[in-house]
Amino acid sequence: MAGKLLASIQRSDTEQLQISISEYKGKSYFNLRIFYTTDDGANWLPTKKGVTFAPDQLDILSDAIEEAKKEFMTEEG
């Protein structure tokens, strides 16, 4: 697997958070990384700002996201 973009979240005209699965040294990882563009979005380049998760850490991340969603729903209600 060379890599698979799952989603992107626009942060500004020149910056976005890309959520992807990528491979490094034969292992797959889940990545959240800030990308930037200098040509109006024709090409997006990675920055050093980001975090990488091993597959066995995804349940922890998922549980944290679900807990955050509950907290925000409680605050809004």
Side-chain angles (χ1 to χ4, degrees):
M1 174 190 327
K4 179 180 181 180
L5 181 62
L6 303 175
S8 61
I9 300 170
Q10 204 68 30
R11 293 173 42 103
S12 72
D13 289 341
T14 59
E15 195 175 79
Q16 65 179 216
L17 173 68
Q18 291 190 4
I19 303 166
S20 64
I21 295 173
S22 61
E23 191 175 290
Y24 180 71
K25 293 188 177 182
K27 294 187 179 183
S28 294
Y29 295 94
F30 180 74
N31 288 303
L32 303 172
R33 185 147 317 273
I34 301 294
F35 279 67
Y36 72 97
T37 185
T38 57
D39 55 12
D40 293 325
N43 295 293
W44 289 93
L45 304 169
T47 69
K48 292 182 180 181
K49 298 176 187 174
V51 63
T52 300
F53 296 90
D56 63 356
Q57 297 171 316
L58 290 181
D59 284 340
I60 297 167
L61 179 61
S62 178
D63 290 347
I65 290 169
E66 287 302 315
E67 186 64 29
K69 287 167 66 175
K70 287 178 194 172
E71 289 287 327
F72 291 130
M73 289 192 322
T74 300
E75 288 176 12
E76 292 171 3

